[in-house]
Amino acid sequence: MANIPGIPVWREVGATPLPEGEQTTPICIVGGGPVGLALALDLGRKGHDVLVLNKMDFVANGSKAICFSKRSLDILDRLGVAQKAIDKGVIWDTGKVFWGEGDDPVYQFDMLPVKNQKNPGFINLQQYYMEDFLLEALADVPTVEVRWGHEVAGLETRNDGVRLSVTTEGGDYSLDAAWLIACDGAKSPVRAMMGLDFEGRIFEDNFLIADVKFKEERPSERWFWFDPPFFEGKSALLHKQPDDVWRCDFQLGWDIDREACIKPENVEPLVRGMFGSDIEFEEEWYSVYTFQCRRMARFLHGRVIFAGDSAHLVSPFGARGCNGGFADIDNLAWKLDAVMKARASESFLETYNTEAVITADENILNSTRSTDFMTPKTATSQAFRDAVLELAKTHDFARPFVNSGRLSTPVSYPQGPLNTADAEDWAGTGVAPGSPPLDAPLKDGWLLDALGDDFVLMGHSLPDGLPNGQVKHLDVADAPLVCDRYGLEPGSAVLFRPDQYVAARWKSVSGPSVAAAQKKALGQ
C-alpha cells in the first residue's frame, strides 16, 4: 500500500496492477473522492465506459465532508445510493444559534421547511462512508473501472482529447482519453499542469476541526455559538456524526502556530469547555483549515472539464463544498451524455460552464457573507453582528440576518440558456423554468423517483396526441400535492431536464411547444 504522508487510512484497497497494451478510454476521471465517484456512477449508468484514476490505493480517513444536503441526497437517490447513506447517517433538519452565556438559542432554522418530501433536509455522514457506498454501487456497473494507486504525472491536450502520463508503483504508462474530468481536489494536479489557478479571496482566519469520539445523548441538530462562555470572543460549531463521533469546530484567529493548535494538550481544553470538564473522549482527527472563497475563471477547457474542489473552493461553514461538487456532476453528466450520444453538439458543454459558474458564485457569495458575519474584522462589523444577535432574541425581522453559515441549497438559473420562458402569467405559483425540482408524494411513490434521469413531461390530465419522442410522459392528475406545488391545472404541464431541473411549463401544453422546449434544453 502506498503511504501518503498526512493522509490517514480508513480502508485499505491495494494498488491496481500496471495495465498491459495500448490504453485508451472515452472518459477519464481523475480523482476518487465522492465527486469523481458519483460522476463515474452517473455516466456508467448511462452506458458509458469510464476510467477513474485515484492516486491513493486506499479510502482515506480524516476530517473531510460530513454534511450532505437534501439536493445531494436527491442526486444520490437517482444514482441508487442515498438510502444507504441515510440509513447510516445522522438525520437533522434543525439548526440552532447561541450567543454568549445564554442557554436558549437566539435563532433557529429548519432545513426542510417544505414537508412531505422523500429525503431529509440534511444528513451527517463521514466522507469515507459515502465513498464506500459509491464504490459498492460502482461494483455493479461493468463499464466503470477504478484504478487505485495510479497518479497522473503529466498531460498533453489535443483537439480530440488528452494524452496522460500515469505513474504507478509497478511502472508508468500513457493513456489517451477523449474526455478528461478533473475531480482531483483543492490542490488539483491537473489544474496545475495546465497552468491554471483560482481567483478569489483568502480570509485572515483559521478554524480547528476536532473530531472526537464519546457516547452522549444529544439532539441531532446543528449547534453554533457566537462568543460562548467556554470560548470567549470566538465562535464554535457542533455536529453529531455516526459511530459516536462529534465534529467540533473552533475559531482560532489568523496568526497562529498550526502545529501547536492540533496538539492534544491544546485541543483537550476546548473540547472539555464545550462538553464539560468530566467528559471522557478519544481523538479521531484534528486539523486546521483556512477560510477561502475562490474559483477558476472557467471550468471548461477544451476536452478537459473541472468539477468540485478542483474548480472552486468555499469556506466549510454552509456545507457548500462537496454539495457544490455534487451539483457540478449532476449538471455535467447528462450534458456529456447528450454530446457523446450525438443528441447535442460539443458546444452544448459550454452551458455546463455557464450554470456551474453561477452555482459556484452563489456558493462563494453566501460563504463570503457568512465568514464576514462570523469573523468580524472591524469595530463596525462587530457592532453590527452583536446588534443583529441581540435583536434576534425577540424580533422576527432580525433573525434572517443571523449568519452562522448559510446552509447549502440548490441554485436556480432563472435566466439560464436552456430555459423556455413562460408564455403565460403563473402569478408566482409553481416552479419556474431554471429551478430545481420540488419533491412531493405520488399516489404510489415519490415524484423525483418517477422523474428518473430522462426528459419528462409532467402534466395534469395531459391531452391525447402529444408525441412522446424522447420525452417520457407522467400524468399527475391523481397527485394533488404535486399539482399544488407546481401550479398544475387540467391541460397544463412542466418539462423536466434529465437533471430534474424545470426547463419549461405551459398552462395549455401542445406537441410543438414541447418539441421546441426540448430542443432548446439541448442547446439547439
Side-chain angles (χ1 to χ4, degrees), residues 219-286:
S220 298
E221 300 171 341
R222 178 188 192 263
W223 284 18
F224 188 97
W225 290 268
F226 289 103
D227 194 17
F230 59 83
F231 204 36
E232 292 184 4
K234 303 292 185 181
S235 58
L237 174 69
L238 176 65
H239 271 291
K240 183 179 182 180
Q241 302 178 64
D243 305 334
D244 299 314
V245 176
W246 301 80
R247 165 69 55 88
C248 312
D249 289 69
F250 300 96
Q251 181 188 0
L252 299 176
W254 182 239
D255 189 17
I256 63 169
D257 182 337
R258 298 172 72 92
E259 292 295 325
C261 286
I262 60 174
K263 290 182 177 179
E265 61 267 27
N266 293 326
V267 176
E268 183 175 328
L270 300 177
V271 176
R272 294 196 183 283
M274 179 180 281
F275 293 103
S277 59
D278 58 346
I279 191 73
E280 296 295 330
F281 65 91
E282 300 175 18
E283 172 188 346
E284 283 282 306
W285 180 254
Y286 300 158

Side-chain angles (χ1 to χ4, degrees), residues 395-438:
H395 293 79
D396 289 343
F397 81 88
R399 288 166 186 159
F401 294 99
V402 176
N403 196 333
S404 64
R406 291 283 186 262
L407 274 295
S408 177
T409 54
V411 175
S412 297
Y413 316 117
Q415 308 302 322
L418 307 183
N419 301 342
T420 295
D422 288 336
E424 303 94 351
D425 181 12
W426 288 73
T429 62
V431 180
S435 301
L438 182 58

Side-chain angles (χ1 to χ4, degrees), residues 10-34:
W10 163 252
R11 180 172 64 83
E12 297 182 8
V13 178
T16 303
L18 186 71
E20 298 179 356
E22 183 178 356
Q23 296 297 300
T24 63
T25 184
I27 303 170
C28 178
I29 297 172
V30 181

Side-chain angles (χ1 to χ4, degrees), residues 209-492:
I209 286 181
D211 281 351
V212 295
K213 187 171 186 177
F214 61 89
K215 288 186 178 294
E216 180 165 320
E217 292 300 321
R218 282 178 176 248
S220 298
E221 300 171 341
R222 178 188 192 263
W223 284 18
F224 188 97
W225 290 268
F226 289 103
D227 194 17
F230 59 83
F231 204 36
E232 292 184 4
K234 303 292 185 181
S235 58
L237 174 69
L238 176 65
H239 271 291
K240 183 179 182 180
Q241 302 178 64
D243 305 334
D244 299 314
V245 176
W246 301 80
R247 165 69 55 88
C248 312
D249 289 69
F250 300 96
Q251 181 188 0
L252 299 176
W254 182 239
D255 189 17
I256 63 169
D257 182 337
R258 298 172 72 92
E259 292 295 325
C261 286
I262 60 174
K263 290 182 177 179
E265 61 267 27
N266 293 326
V267 176
E268 183 175 328
L270 300 177
V271 176
R272 294 196 183 283
M274 179 180 281
F275 293 103
S277 59
D278 58 346
I279 191 73
E280 296 295 330
F281 65 91
E282 300 175 18
E283 172 188 346
E284 283 282 306
W285 180 254
Y286 300 158
S287 64
V288 173
Y289 62 87
T290 301
F291 275 5
Q292 50 184 312
C293 294
R294 302 192 292 160
R295 69 165 173 87
M296 299 174 67
R298 286 180 54 79
F299 301 168
L300 180 67
H301 292 264
R303 291 296 185 96
V304 182
I305 307 171
F306 291 84
D309 285 353
S310 70
H312 45 75
L313 288 175
V314 291
S315 305
F317 287 100
R320 294 174 178 270
C322 190
N323 290 306
F326 282 145
D328 287 347
I329 64 94
D330 185 48
N331 190 290
L332 174 60
W334 75 273
K335 295 176 178 178
L336 185 56
D337 173 65
V339 170
M340 297 190 71
K341 292 177 179 175
R343 297 181 69 189
S345 66
E346 188 170 326
S347 63
F348 180 48
L349 290 173
E350 186 62 37
T351 67
Y352 164 72
N353 182 77
T354 299
E355 292 182 339
V357 164
I358 290 172
T359 298
D361 284 347
E362 178 76 9
N363 286 332
I364 286 171
L365 174 65
N366 280 283
S367 188
T368 298
R369 288 173 174 171
S370 297
T371 304
D372 286 337
F373 189 88
M374 291 161 49
T375 61
K377 298 298 187 294
T378 67
T380 301
S381 297
Q382 182 79 46
F384 171 77
R385 191 193 77 177
D386 291 351
V388 167
L389 292 170
E390 182 65 40
L391 287 167
K393 293 179 180 178
T394 54
H395 293 79
D396 289 343
F397 81 88
R399 288 166 186 159
F401 294 99
V402 176
N403 196 333
S404 64
R406 291 283 186 262
L407 274 295
S408 177
T409 54
V411 175
S412 297
Y413 316 117
Q415 308 302 322
L418 307 183
N419 301 342
T420 295
D422 288 336
E424 303 94 351
D425 181 12
W426 288 73
T429 62
V431 180
S435 301
L438 182 58
D439 200 13
L442 299 174
K443 188 175 182 180
D444 182 18
W446 294 94
L447 173 60
L448 299 192
D449 288 343
L451 295 180
D453 54 5
D454 298 316
F455 277 100
V456 177
L457 182 69
M458 178 184 77
H460 183 312
S461 306
L462 289 170
D464 295 333
L466 289 176
N468 280 71
Q470 295 186 2
V471 179
K472 185 171 73 173
H473 288 185
L474 176 64
D475 200 308
V476 292
D478 61 353
L481 195 51
V482 175
C483 294
D484 179 65
R485 289 181 175 176
Y486 286 85
L488 297 178
E489 300 172 350
S492 58

